[in-house]
Amino acid sequence: MRIQVLGPLSADIGGVSVVPTASKPRQILSLLALYPGRVMPVPTLMEEIWGADPPVSALTTLQTYILQLRRRLGTAMGPDSPRSAKELLATRHGGYLLQIQPQNVDVHTYERLVTAGRAAFETGDDTRAAETLRQALDLWQGPALVDVRVGPILSIETLRLQESRLVTVERRIDADLRLGKHTALLAELKDLTVRHPQHEGLHSQAMVALYRSGRQAAALDVYRQLRIRLIDELGVEPSPQLQRLHQAMLTVDPGLDVAAGARRGSTFDLYAT
């Protein structure tokens, strides 16, 4: 069984889809897939489906949804399968679990690659870091569970994953900047700063990429526009490290060059105290 949650929900056994069409069974499958091999308590499943006010018939209805999922699993597994659907989607005291290996769910492969990429980044192996983090990001096919109605539990999970994705993009760009690929990053950073207009880390990367590409005026303009936006919308100045980065560009600090830059740490922290 293979499941994808980094984008539209996809789950199949031997190429046969087991994704239900009804929204609530889709929620259950999604939540179980995020924690393969772990018991998902009944109260947690109920909260995801009905929030803080489940109906009187909630337990019976949940059991019906589990039965529907097992029927889909059983159909896809076929009569000759060595396991039954009830073994694959098992009942345990107080809850249910999906008995599959974590590597069969894309999010767990993603998190393993991210961990390896960050480790390479911290040791200064920029080539391996950029390659590994890019492999992790390539697993995404859109926003996490984009076609699933999410309740309070899945909302937290999808938000966590979206934040993780953005941080991973930042680290991959940091590695590419340390490899001297500043010019190749300009278009991507332009798009990212438009999508995240108050994100100082991405703006610092855009500034450095422009500066190293011989576009000092454009780099300074990125700072100017961000500063105006932060003051107008939030009433705050840019962070001290971003202000110091701006000052370094005004004074043409040699430390901004690729060869002179810090071998470890993020672009945003080039001028952290």
Side-chain angles (χ1 to χ4, degrees):
M1 184 176 186
R2 297 200 172 275
I3 303 178
Q4 296 175 321
V5 299
L6 301 178
L9 175 63
S10 173
D12 70 83
I13 297 176
V16 179
S17 175
V18 296
V19 178
T21 55
S23 63
K24 289 181 173 60
R26 290 167 72 90
Q27 287 174 266
I28 294 170
L29 178 60
S30 299
L31 197 50
L32 291 170
L34 288 171
Y35 296 94
R38 290 174 54 182
V39 175
M40 186 58 56
V42 165
T44 301
L45 291 167
M46 287 183 176
E47 182 181 358
E48 167 59 27
I49 297 171
W50 292 289
D53 189 26
V56 176
S57 61
L59 181 58
T60 301
T61 305
L62 175 61
Q63 292 170 341
T64 300
Y65 293 149
I66 294 293
L67 180 61
Q68 291 173 2
L69 284 171
R70 283 176 175 158
R71 285 173 178 165
R72 296 188 73 91
L73 293 171
T75 299
M77 294 166 73
D80 299 325
S81 172
R83 301 174 71 189
S84 68
K86 197 167 184 179
E87 290 174 311
L88 185 58
L89 175 48
T91 302
R92 291 292 184 268
H93 179 70
Y96 301 94
L97 79 156
L98 199 58
Q99 297 207 86
I100 60 174
Q101 295 298 314
Q103 61 265 29
N104 290 352
V105 185
D106 62 350
V107 67
H108 296 284
T109 301
Y110 161 77
E111 290 175 341
R112 176 179 56 79
L113 288 168
V114 167
T115 298
R118 287 179 178 173
F121 182 84
E122 292 300 324
T123 60
D125 189 348
D126 301 329
T127 299
R128 182 166 175 263
E131 179 182 349
T132 306
L133 294 175
R134 191 171 283 107
Q135 289 175 4
L137 291 166
D138 285 345
L139 292 172
W140 287 76
Q141 303 298 316
L145 297 172
V146 65
D147 60 346
V148 175
R149 172 188 174 275
V150 297
I153 309 300
L154 283 178
S155 292
I156 294 171
E157 293 292 341
T158 54
L159 179 59
R160 176 185 67 83
L161 289 170
Q162 289 301 125
E163 288 293 327
S164 171
R165 183 185 190 183
L166 185 57
V167 170
T168 302
V169 168
E170 280 189 84
R171 292 294 78 78
R172 196 223 82 225
I173 292 174
D174 280 332
D176 281 337
L177 283 171
R178 297 197 314 202
L179 290 168
K181 298 181 179 181
H182 34 270
T183 302
L185 291 168
L186 292 177
E188 180 183 10
L189 283 166
K190 174 65 175 177
D191 177 68
L192 286 168
T193 53
V194 169
R195 292 174 182 270
H196 305 278
Q198 297 176 354
H199 196 295
E200 290 194 350
L202 294 171
H203 281 76
S204 72
Q205 292 175 326
M207 290 169 65
V208 169
L210 285 164
Y211 182 90
R212 290 177 178 171
S213 299
R215 298 173 60 184
Q216 181 186 22
L220 295 171
D221 193 55
V222 168
Y223 177 86
R224 181 187 65 82
Q225 293 186 44
L226 174 63
R227 181 173 182 269
I228 292 172
R229 193 177 301 117
L230 291 175
I231 292 173
D232 288 349
E233 297 177 6
L234 301 177
V236 299
E237 290 279 352
S239 63
Q241 52 260 61
L242 200 61
Q243 294 183 42
R244 286 191 287 268
L245 175 63
H246 175 249
Q247 186 61 35
M249 290 182 175
L250 288 172
T251 59
V252 195
D253 187 341
L256 285 167
D257 296 338
V258 177
R263 294 305 299 156
R264 300 181 188 180
S266 69
T267 305
F268 183 63
D269 290 330
L270 279 175
Y271 290 88
T273 54

